[in-house]
Amino acid sequence: MDSQLALFDAPDWMRVIGVFDLETTGVDVRSDRIVTAHVGVLDADGRALEARDWLADPGVPIPEGAAAIHGVTTARARADGRPAQEVVGEVLEALRSLFAAGIPVVAYNAPYDFSLLKNEALRHGLVPIDAPAPVIDPLVVDKTYDRWRRGKRTLSAVAAHYAVRLDGAHEAAADATAAGRVAQALAERFAPWLPTTATELHTRQIAWARAQADSLTEYFISIGRLDPDDRIDGSWPIR
């Protein structure tokens, strides 16, 4: 994005990308609920071409710890949020439209957002997206191409590493946009080694995520944090 040459050298998938993020009542993809959501489209320079945000009434109390992170209290969600079933249905529709158009969707730590969305769909009697594709997960890509870098791999930390601005972390629109721009930064940084199509990148990330989970499993077993019979689920981009 620094020059026309950089744009020419980067994979074509970075020219138009979708972005997706959820803020929720907690971290359990099976039982927690959507509070806010963002689906947008960025151009090659990371500018928003389209953006849509949702605030849902999840139908359950929002724990104080979660509200402290994303800023939405139970009272606000009940007063201003729309019915969860409507929100979930519209988020599903927005994502399906992007995938149908062949636009890759960026989601940081994709299995969390897509798995929680799937379980919300089932909870509300809606048809889930069982196999979202193509998806780009900057967390998986960054771990693959810069495996030995020290430090955290949170979105905030990785955005800072790639000089991507992130204002309002843990707000769905800000996180989704930053994740998209990180994906574009990765595309430029590692252009010579990345697949030229989003579909091929999606396929490779399935194997990369599994290998990363296996490596982390072995490490945790070696330090006594996991039983040898337990494994970290490396399914990607949905569990």
Side-chain angles (χ1 to χ4, degrees):
M1 291 175 279
D2 294 331
S3 67
Q4 289 298 316
L5 180 60
L7 180 61
F8 178 80
D9 288 342
D12 282 346
W13 57 255
M14 70 162 280
R15 295 173 184 266
V16 179
I17 56 171
V19 294
F20 168 50
D21 186 72
L22 301 175
E23 297 298 328
T24 62
T25 59
V27 297
D28 189 324
V29 299
R30 295 164 297 180
S31 61
D32 280 307
R33 313 295 178 89
I34 294 170
V35 178
T36 63
H38 178 87
V39 176
V41 178
L42 305 183
D43 68 12
D45 293 315
R47 292 186 295 250
L49 298 174
E50 297 180 26
R52 186 159 184 197
D53 296 284
W54 293 265
L55 171 61
D57 176 357
V60 298
I62 299 172
E64 290 184 4
I69 292 172
H70 53 59
V72 181
T73 63
T74 300
R76 182 187 166 201
R78 288 175 176 171
D80 301 329
R82 293 174 53 215
Q85 184 181 43
E86 292 181 10
V87 169
V88 173
E90 290 176 9
V91 172
L92 290 167
E93 181 181 5
L95 290 169
R96 282 195 173 98
S97 295
L98 293 178
F99 289 133
I103 296 174
V105 175
V106 175
Y108 199 86
N109 191 21
Y112 174 78
D113 296 274
F114 282 108
S115 299
L116 195 145
L117 179 63
K118 173 184 176 179
N119 287 316
E120 278 277 62
L122 295 172
R123 183 175 294 116
H124 293 290
L126 302 170
V127 178
I129 300 175
D130 286 318
V135 173
I136 298 166
D137 189 339
L139 177 60
V140 173
V141 177
D142 179 51
K143 283 184 175 180
T144 297
Y145 287 100
D146 201 354
R147 179 179 180 182
W148 305 111
R149 187 176 79 248
R150 293 181 177 272
K152 295 180 178 180
R153 301 282 178 145
T154 61
L155 175 58
S156 295
V158 174
H161 177 74
Y162 289 103
V164 170
R165 184 171 176 175
L166 173 54
D167 295 325
H170 301 297
E171 193 275 320
D175 283 0
T177 301
R181 291 169 179 167
V182 168
Q184 292 174 322
L186 287 162
E188 289 197 344
R189 178 77 60 88
F190 301 109
W193 303 278
L194 278 166
T196 57
T197 69
T199 299
E200 176 61 21
L201 178 58
H202 179 101
T203 300
R204 292 196 191 182
Q205 286 172 103
I206 295 172
W208 294 343
R210 185 181 303 115
Q212 289 164 11
D214 287 344
S215 177
L216 188 58
T217 295
E218 295 305 322
Y219 173 69
F220 281 161
I221 290 173
S222 72
I223 64 173
R225 285 186 59 180
L226 270 182
D227 185 276
D229 293 330
D230 295 330
R231 309 295 299 182
I232 295 172
D233 188 348
S235 303
W236 185 94
I238 195 168
R239 293 172 185 151

